[in-house]
Amino acid sequence: MPALKKTAFLVTSAALLSMSTAAPALADGKPGGDGDQPKPPGKMSTVGGAQLGKPGTQVKLKSGAPVLPKELTGRSWIVSDAESGEVLASHNAHWRLPPASTLKMLFADTVLPKFPKTQKHKVALSDMAGIGAGSSMVGIKENETYSVHDLWLGVFLKSGNDAVHVLSAMNDGVPETVKDMQKHAEDLQALDTHVVSPDGYDAKGQVSSAYDLTLFARSGLQKKDFREYCATATAKFPGETKKVTKGKDKGKTKRESFEIQNTNRLLTGAPGVNPYKGIAGVKNGYTTNAGNTFTGVAERNGKVLLVTVMNPSSTETHAVYKETERLFDWGFKASGKVDPVGELVAPKGAATGAGKGAPGGDGTGTKNVAHASDDGSSGMGIALGVTGGVLAVLAAGVFVIRRRLPLPGQAGRRAPRD
C-alpha cells in the first residue's frame, strides 16, 4: 500500500476582525438583495433548533465574547463544537444549496465500512460510465487493479470522481449507492439533503446544507479510516502498467506510482493560504453551480470545532478557506463565551433519544451530545471518540511534517471542477 504523509500544523492563527452580517445570499438563483445575490428562503428547516431555521446570521454573544469576523460572504456557514454538538454561530444553516464534492463525505461515511481496505478490484470500462464532463479525476485506468485503500486515497485527496464511480460499481452500481446515501442521510437526520449523484457533480435537484454537511463530517470522523484519509496530505497512487522499452528489463511490464496531493488548501497550503494550525481534514469542493464549498475540522487546546462554508461571493483568492479560517479563529476564542443557537442532532435511534432539536422535539435546540459511531455508542463516549481521533491524527502529523519539504508545482493550482 502507498506510504502516507501526514499534514502540517505549523502556522499561527489569523487576527480576528470586527462583526458584520454577510449580505444575504434562493437556491433558484433569482436576483435579490445586495449585488443581485440570491436570497435565502424566509423559512427553513428547524432540525437542531428553531433559531437555525431563521435566515441571516444567528449568534448569542455573552459578555466578553469576540464579535464575528467582518469578511464573511458565504451564502451559508456554521460553526459547531464537534464534541458537544453545540452550534456556536450560523448563517442560513439550513439553506438547501448544491454541495459539490463536500457530498463525498456522505459517500465515504456510507460506503467506506463496506469493503476492507486490502480488497483488490480490477477496473472495467463500465465502472466509470456516467462521469460528468470536466470532473476532477485521480487517474484510474481500465483493466488496472487497485486496492480499496488506493481508491479512497483518490476520493479524499484528489476528489476523484473516477474513484467514486469505481467504488460505486463495487457497491452494486451508482443507483444503489445513491439510495444507500439517501437512506444514511435520513438516518443522520440530514433532511436538507437530496442525493442524485454520489460524487457531488452538479445534478438537477441535488442539494444539501451547511448543517447537513457538518453532520456528515461529524459522523465520518467516528471512523478511523475516514479520519486517516481526510488528514492525509500526500500519498503515492498506482499508475498505468507499461512495457519496458529498453535496458535489461526490456519487454517486461512495470507499474510505477505517482504522487497525489490533497486539494484541501487548509491542509496542504497554497500561495496566500497557510496550512491551518490544528487542521485535521475534512473535504473541499467546487462546481460551476455550487461555487466553492468546504467543511473542516480543527483542534486547539483540546477543543475540536467543525466549520462549513458554502459558496462565498467574495473575489478574494481562496475565499472559502480564508472565511473558514476566520470562523475557526473566532470559534476557538468564542468557546464558552456564547450561548448555543442550536445543536447537531443525534442520528435516529441514538441511545439518548431524538433531542429537542430533532424532528418531533420542541424545536428549542437544547444540548444533545449523542452521536452514532461504529459500535453504536453515544453521548460522551462519542465526544471523546471525536477528540481522541483528531488528536491522534494531529500528533502523528506534527512528527512527520517537521521532516517534509514543501511540495513544488501543485500548491498554487485551483482545485479542479468536481
Side-chain angles (χ1 to χ4, degrees), residues 30-321:
K30 293 180 181 178
D34 296 340
D36 286 336
Q37 288 294 313
K39 294 181 181 179
K43 185 177 181 181
M44 293 173 279
S45 168
T46 57
V47 173
Q51 194 165 354
L52 296 180
K54 298 178 181 178
T57 300
Q58 309 300 321
V59 65
K60 295 179 181 179
L61 302 175
K62 297 194 292 189
S63 177
V67 295
L68 283 163
K70 183 178 181 180
E71 287 88 349
L72 298 176
T73 68
R75 291 186 180 180
S76 176
W77 54 258
I78 187 170
V79 184
S80 56
D81 187 308
E83 300 173 80
S84 70
E86 291 180 344
V87 177
L88 306 184
S90 69
H91 181 77
N92 303 324
H94 280 292
W95 192 357
R96 304 180 76 196
L97 297 166
S101 279
T102 44
L103 192 65
K104 288 183 172 79
M105 295 187 294
L106 174 61
F107 171 74
D109 195 39
T110 303
V111 178
L112 195 152
K114 296 189 177 187
F115 307 105
K117 62 169 62 177
T118 55
Q119 183 173 331
K120 304 282 187 178
H121 178 77
K122 186 174 182 179
V123 175
L125 182 60
S126 59
D127 292 348
M128 296 187 287
I131 297 176
S135 288
S136 55
M137 310 278 269
V138 68
I140 290 172
K141 304 295 183 182
E142 63 178 295
N143 297 321
E144 294 285 4
T145 297
Y146 300 85
S147 69
V148 168
H149 176 74
D150 295 331
L151 296 172
W152 284 116
L153 288 172
V155 171
F156 278 92
L157 274 68
K158 294 297 288 183
S159 204
N161 288 7
D162 47 356
V164 170
H165 277 252
V166 172
L167 285 162
S168 296
M170 296 171 64
N171 190 52
D172 296 328
V174 167
E176 186 64 32
T177 300
V178 167
K179 288 179 184 178
D180 289 347
M181 291 171 66
Q182 189 66 55
K183 182 180 184 303
H184 189 48
E186 292 166 3
D187 289 343
L188 294 175
Q189 302 200 65
L191 305 183
D192 298 322
T193 298
H194 179 64
V195 183
V196 178
S197 65
D199 49 25
Y201 189 87
D202 284 340
K204 185 177 181 180
Q206 181 153 272
V207 291
S208 190
S209 66
Y211 183 89
D212 284 9
L213 293 175
T214 303
L215 290 183
F216 302 152
R218 193 177 187 226
S219 180
L221 288 165
Q222 314 302 320
K223 299 172 176 63
K224 180 182 177 182
D225 287 346
F226 186 106
R227 293 195 300 268
E228 178 184 327
Y229 291 129
C230 77
T232 298
T234 63
K236 293 293 185 180
F237 192 82
E240 190 174 2
T241 302
K242 296 180 179 180
K243 282 188 177 181
V244 179
T245 59
K246 57 184 177 179
K248 64 178 182 179
D249 293 329
K250 183 178 180 180
K252 295 181 180 180
T253 57
K254 186 176 182 180
R255 190 180 191 188
E256 296 183 342
S257 61
F258 57 93
E259 188 170 84
I260 57 174
Q261 182 186 33
N262 202 314
T263 55
N264 174 356
R265 300 311 184 198
L266 289 189
L267 196 67
T268 58
V273 180
N274 291 318
Y276 187 76
K277 183 180 179 181
I279 194 73
V282 173
K283 189 72 188 74
N284 58 306
Y286 172 79
T287 66
T288 302
N289 196 32
N292 287 287
T293 60
F294 181 68
T295 297
V297 63
E299 182 274 339
R300 191 169 297 173
N301 299 322
K303 178 67 67 175
V304 182
L305 298 182
L306 283 160
V307 171
T308 296
V309 176
M310 300 185 76
N311 200 353
S313 61
S314 171
T315 58
E316 179 182 26
T317 303
H318 299 303
V320 75
Y321 300 113

